[in-house]
Amino acid sequence: TGDPLADLSEDMAAEQKARAVYENLIDLTDDPDVIGPLLWLRQREVVDFNRFKELYDYYKNNQKEPR
């Protein structure tokens, strides 16, 4: 959208959705060869979400007041 806060919000939402998908897939199996990679992918979503959140907070806190 060109709006950093809106774009980062969308990115965070996408990370949360992907994390939920991986969690649902993990719940569907008991195969450790499937669960292992899914756990890794889920953790990447958590890390990515946290990085987007840090950047979102930075932009939010340093946003210039409209004139």
Side-chain angles (χ1 to χ4, degrees):
T1 67
D3 175 1
L5 292 176
D7 291 343
L8 289 167
S9 292
E10 290 175 6
D11 292 339
M12 289 187 299
E15 298 298 330
Q16 289 292 73
K17 288 177 187 174
R19 182 190 51 78
V21 167
Y22 293 132
E23 289 175 353
N24 290 333
L25 290 172
I26 289 167
D27 291 341
L28 294 175
T29 186
D30 58 1
D31 183 343
D33 291 333
V34 173
I35 292 174
L38 290 173
L39 288 172
W40 185 87
L41 290 168
R42 184 190 65 176
Q43 185 58 34
R44 290 301 321 151
E45 301 303 333
V46 171
V47 169
D48 291 346
F49 174 87
N50 289 333
R51 294 300 158 267
F52 285 134
K53 178 75 168 105
E54 288 173 9
L55 193 53
Y56 177 90
D57 291 341
Y58 173 82
Y59 275 113
K60 184 109 173 141
N61 293 331
N62 294 299
Q63 193 173 30
K64 294 183 180 182
E65 295 294 321
R67 296 181 185 204

